[in-house]
Amino acid sequence: MELLAANWKMNKTPKETKEYLEKFLGLVEGIKDVEILVCPPFTSLCVAKEMLEGSNVKLGAQNCYHEQKGAFTGEVSLDMLKELGVSYVIVGHSERRWIFGETDELINKKVIACLEKDIRPILCVGEKIEEREAGMTLKVIESQLKLALSGLDDVSNRIDIAYEPVWAIGSGNPATPEDAQLVHRFIKDLLGDVRVLYGGSVNPQNAKDFLSMPDVDGLLVGTASLDPSSFAQIVKASCRDQG
Ligand code: 13P
């Protein structure tokens, strides 16, 4: 099943989350043939859990820490997230890597911790513009995947991968669907039949073009997910009969 995921990043207070979901749930009501996921900030998870109960929209978090508890000021554990109804966690987003200095080693620990707690990680990989220009895209993707999944056996049915080229994120300059397809195929050749989402300047206009590619199995949407109508349009682009 395709996965349409919203990454709100550092946007929306609990009150704004409530307003968003009141509208959004009505717009996507009855859609069953795709998985719909919203990943609000930690501070909105509680209100989101209450609102999503019994709905067709799942709840995800944007980050986690791999230790179970203890002296890790400012961090949030998987047990804490689980109690709030979180079933997915975005791991290794490029903003975590490049703004907050997350290493492949740390990302590996987070992926392992998610799997141990039965929370599905959405592992993000993607090249920077200079790596792309140097023809290094596939090498970078391969290295990020190998390091993030190090020590793990076949994970293809327990994890999702998001291909998010760093230069395409928030830039209004998405990859072409054909370029995404090529990288997605490469990821599946490496990992087996894993679900691979595309992220980076997805909007209601281009969503269908990405989803029409044979190996694009969903989308991870930032900016265009912040408006409920716009994200609902993207979700509907994935529904064969409603697009
Ligand atoms: P944009 O959709 O704003 O480009 O962000 C993509 C992203 O980083 C999703 O995780």
Side-chain angles (χ1 to χ4, degrees), residues 120 153-160 191-195:
R120 199 171 170 102
D153 291 332
D154 182 18
V155 288
S156 55
N157 59 355
R158 293 189 291 154
I159 190 171
D160 297 309
L191 300 184
D193 197 18
V194 66
R195 188 162 59 174

Side-chain angles (χ1 to χ4, degrees), residues 100-126:
F100 300 102
E102 287 198 9
T103 60
D104 290 303
E105 194 188 1
L106 178 64
I107 291 164
N108 176 238
K109 287 184 178 153
K110 293 185 178 191
V111 170
I112 292 171
C114 285
L115 293 173
E116 278 171 4
K117 292 286 175 187
D118 227 7
I119 287 188
R120 199 171 170 102
I122 301 177
L123 170 64
C124 301
V125 294

Side-chain angles (χ1 to χ4, degrees), residues 5-9 90 93-95 124 162 164-166 168-174 198-203 219-226:
N7 175 9
W8 290 357
K9 308 190 179 182
I90 299 172
H93 190 279
S94 68
E95 286 145 20
C124 301
E164 299 207 309
V166 179
I169 294 177
S171 65
N173 175 32
Y198 170 77
S201 296
V202 170
N203 60 40
L219 300 168
L220 181 55
V221 187
T223 314
S225 76
L226 294 176

Side-chain angles (χ1 to χ4, degrees), residues 76-202:
V76 172
S77 78
L78 288 155
D79 285 334
M80 295 169 187
L81 295 175
K82 222 170 164 167
E83 200 169 306
L84 290 175
V86 164
S87 52
Y88 283 82
V89 174
I90 299 172
V91 177
H93 190 279
S94 68
E95 286 145 20
R96 300 293 327 162
R97 292 176 190 260
W98 306 120
I99 302 175
F100 300 102
E102 287 198 9
T103 60
D104 290 303
E105 194 188 1
L106 178 64
I107 291 164
N108 176 238
K109 287 184 178 153
K110 293 185 178 191
V111 170
I112 292 171
C114 285
L115 293 173
E116 278 171 4
K117 292 286 175 187
D118 227 7
I119 287 188
R120 199 171 170 102
I122 301 177
L123 170 64
C124 301
V125 294
E127 81 286 3
K128 292 175 165 178
I129 188 66
E130 57 272 23
E131 293 165 333
R132 182 173 196 83
E133 285 169 351
M136 300 280 291
T137 299
L138 299 182
K139 273 209 153 37
V140 170
I141 302 300
E142 182 170 5
S143 157
Q144 289 177 341
L145 287 172
K146 283 207 164 132
L147 294 168
L149 300 176
S150 144
L152 291 163
D153 291 332
D154 182 18
V155 288
S156 55
N157 59 355
R158 293 189 291 154
I159 190 171
D160 297 309
I161 306 293
Y163 171 51
E164 299 207 309
V166 179
W167 48 271
I169 294 177
S171 65
N173 175 32
T176 63
E178 292 75 18
D179 276 346
Q181 165 61 27
L182 196 136
V183 176
H184 286 219
R185 189 61 252 161
F186 175 75
I187 293 172
K188 292 186 192 190
D189 287 343
L190 279 176
L191 300 184
D193 197 18
V194 66
R195 188 162 59 174
V196 187
L197 320 182
Y198 170 77
S201 296
V202 170

Side-chain angles (χ1 to χ4, degrees), residues 10-11 15-16 23 30 37 98 141 200 205:
M10 198 175 73
N11 291 287
K15 183 163 166 274
E16 289 165 343
K23 190 156 178 209
L37 175 72
W98 306 120
I141 302 300
Q205 288 71 46

